[in-house]
Amino acid sequence: MAVREIVQVGDPVLRQHARALTREELATGEIQQLIADMKETMRAAPGVGLAAPQIGESLQLVVIEDPAEYQKGFTPEQLAARDRTPVEFHVLVNPKLTVLGEDTVQQFEGCLSFATFNMVVTRARKVRVDALDEHGAPVSRVGTGWYARILQHEVDHLKGIVCVDRCDPRTLSTPANYTKFYGGKTVAEAKAIIGKPAR
Ligand code: ZN
């Protein structure tokens, strides 16, 4: 396995519509190696999701993992606000996303292809993803809260959509400034600090 370089914004691969994989391709050593590399790259970053275009491969392939240890730095209130619970490692191939219900949630999120800049993005609270797993078996996953956010973020990557396309641009923050000014705050508190633009 190998940790691969994560492509940064500006690289056109992040704007391409990734192509679907056949079951035959999925079974090849090449694609299984790619999945192993994506897992290692996501863990090394560290991140909670990685899409193949982020390592320069325009394929409909995503890995996700949100282990409990990543959630230790948050208070119970913060975890509750994010509706964030641990998610085991899994692979999604050719995912199709369906929004369930009409509830939306605003939260700060980041992206490994944006040097982990943070920004407030409005996402659906609940979604379903129908996909294949790494063995080519059909899988259907329903996610709410933070996991639904990860699913939407990663499936967007396969369509050439990145989080800044959907964000409130006034909330864009470097990682250091996010921690300094907004880290312990709710989105409403952060937006109150940022204020409205002068007319
Ligand atoms: Zn991303």
Side-chain angles (χ1 to χ4, degrees):
M1 293 201 294
V3 173
R4 303 268 293 258
E5 186 179 346
I6 296 178
V7 169
Q8 295 299 303
V9 64
D11 190 316
V13 73
L14 292 175
R15 292 309 192 171
Q16 290 167 10
H17 198 154
R19 77 168 176 86
L21 285 162
T22 64
R23 280 195 169 85
E24 290 71 30
E25 284 179 292
L26 191 52
T28 63
E30 189 182 356
I31 296 298
Q32 292 298 313
Q33 182 63 52
L34 177 61
I35 292 169
D37 287 354
M38 287 173 65
K39 181 180 187 178
E40 194 172 351
T41 303
M42 173 178 67
R43 286 180 171 174
V48 295
L50 189 73
Q54 293 183 276
I55 57 168
E57 304 286 349
S58 191
L59 300 169
Q60 291 185 24
L61 188 53
V62 161
V63 294
I64 291 174
E65 182 180 43
D66 192 6
E69 64 186 272
Y70 288 1
Q71 299 170 20
K72 283 181 184 159
F74 297 93
T75 66
E77 292 75 23
Q78 288 172 329
L79 289 174
R82 286 165 178 75
D83 195 3
R84 184 170 176 177
T85 53
V87 178
E88 78 286 5
F89 176 81
H90 60 283
V91 178
L92 298 171
V93 181
N94 306 340
K96 300 275 181 287
L97 187 137
T98 306
V99 170
L100 302 177
E102 293 180 359
D103 285 356
T104 59
V105 192
Q106 291 193 350
Q107 281 294 341
F108 277 94
E109 67 179 61
C111 178
L112 298 173
S113 294
F114 276 82
T116 64
F117 269 53
N118 283 280
M119 64 206 81
V120 172
V121 181
T122 303
R123 300 282 189 188
R125 184 185 296 278
K126 188 173 184 181
V127 298
R128 188 183 76 236
V129 167
D130 297 293
L132 301 177
D133 69 11
E134 65 270 47
H135 309 296
V139 288
S140 184
R141 287 180 163 265
V142 173
T144 57
W146 200 257
Y147 178 44
R149 178 171 297 271
I150 298 169
L151 288 168
Q152 289 166 85
H153 181 116
E154 299 309 331
V155 172
D156 270 355
H157 271 302
L158 305 182
K159 298 175 181 171
I161 298 166
V162 290
C163 47
V164 289
D165 302 351
R166 300 193 186 276
C167 84
D168 175 348
R170 287 173 63 81
T171 63
L172 191 62
S173 305
T174 65
N177 279 339
Y178 171 74
T179 303
K180 181 177 177 183
F181 295 107
Y182 314 120
K185 306 276 196 304
T186 65
V187 168
E189 288 167 343
K191 286 195 167 185
I193 292 166
I194 293 164
K196 295 209 163 31
R199 282 172 168 265

CSV table of all heavy atoms in Angstrom, one decimal, residues 70 104 107 143 153-154 187 191:
chain,number,residue,atom,x,y,z
A,70,TYR,N,-11.4,9.9,16.3
A,70,TYR,CA,-11.4,11.2,15.7
A,70,TYR,C,-12.4,12.2,16.4
A,70,TYR,O,-12.4,13.4,16.2
A,70,TYR,CB,-11.9,11.1,14.2
A,70,TYR,CG,-10.8,10.5,13.3
A,70,TYR,CD1,-9.6,10.1,13.8
A,70,TYR,CD2,-11.1,10.4,12.0
A,70,TYR,CE1,-8.7,9.5,12.9
A,70,TYR,CE2,-10.2,9.8,11.1
A,70,TYR,CZ,-9.0,9.4,11.6
A,70,TYR,OH,-8.1,8.8,10.7
A,104,THR,N,-32.6,20.4,6.3
A,104,THR,CA,-31.2,20.7,5.9
A,104,THR,C,-30.5,21.1,7.2
A,104,THR,O,-31.1,21.5,8.2
A,104,THR,CB,-31.1,21.8,4.9
A,104,THR,OG1,-31.7,23.0,5.4
A,104,THR,CG2,-31.7,21.3,3.6
A,107,GLN,N,-23.3,23.3,8.7
A,107,GLN,CA,-22.2,23.1,9.6
A,107,GLN,C,-20.9,23.5,8.9
A,107,GLN,O,-20.9,23.5,7.6
A,107,GLN,CB,-22.0,21.6,9.9
A,107,GLN,CG,-23.0,21.1,11.0
A,107,GLN,CD,-22.7,21.7,12.4
A,107,GLN,OE1,-21.6,22.2,12.6
A,107,GLN,NE2,-23.7,21.7,13.3
A,143,GLY,N,-27.8,7.5,5.8
A,143,GLY,CA,-27.0,8.3,6.7
A,143,GLY,C,-27.7,9.5,7.1
A,143,GLY,O,-28.5,10.1,6.4
A,153,HIS,N,-20.7,15.1,0.5
A,153,HIS,CA,-19.4,15.7,0.1
A,153,HIS,C,-18.6,14.8,-0.9
A,153,HIS,O,-18.1,15.2,-1.9
A,153,HIS,CB,-18.6,15.9,1.4
A,153,HIS,CG,-17.3,16.6,1.2
A,153,HIS,ND1,-17.0,17.8,1.7
A,153,HIS,CD2,-16.1,16.2,0.5
A,153,HIS,CE1,-15.7,18.1,1.3
A,153,HIS,NE2,-15.2,17.1,0.6
A,154,GLU,N,-18.6,13.5,-0.5
A,154,GLU,CA,-17.8,12.6,-1.4
A,154,GLU,C,-18.4,12.3,-2.7
A,154,GLU,O,-17.8,12.2,-3.7
A,154,GLU,CB,-17.5,11.3,-0.6
A,154,GLU,CG,-16.7,11.4,0.7
A,154,GLU,CD,-15.4,12.2,0.6
A,154,GLU,OE1,-14.8,12.2,-0.5
A,154,GLU,OE2,-15.1,12.9,1.5
A,187,VAL,N,-22.7,27.3,14.4
A,187,VAL,CA,-22.7,28.1,13.2
A,187,VAL,C,-23.3,29.4,13.3
A,187,VAL,O,-22.9,30.4,12.8
A,187,VAL,CB,-23.4,27.2,12.1
A,187,VAL,CG1,-23.7,28.1,10.8
A,187,VAL,CG2,-22.5,26.0,11.7
A,191,LYS,N,-21.6,32.9,12.5
A,191,LYS,CA,-22.1,33.9,11.6
A,191,LYS,C,-22.4,35.2,12.2
A,191,LYS,O,-22.3,36.2,11.5
A,191,LYS,CB,-23.4,33.3,11.0
A,191,LYS,CG,-23.1,32.2,10.0
A,191,LYS,CD,-24.4,31.9,9.1
A,191,LYS,CE,-24.0,31.0,7.9
A,191,LYS,NZ,-25.1,30.8,7.0
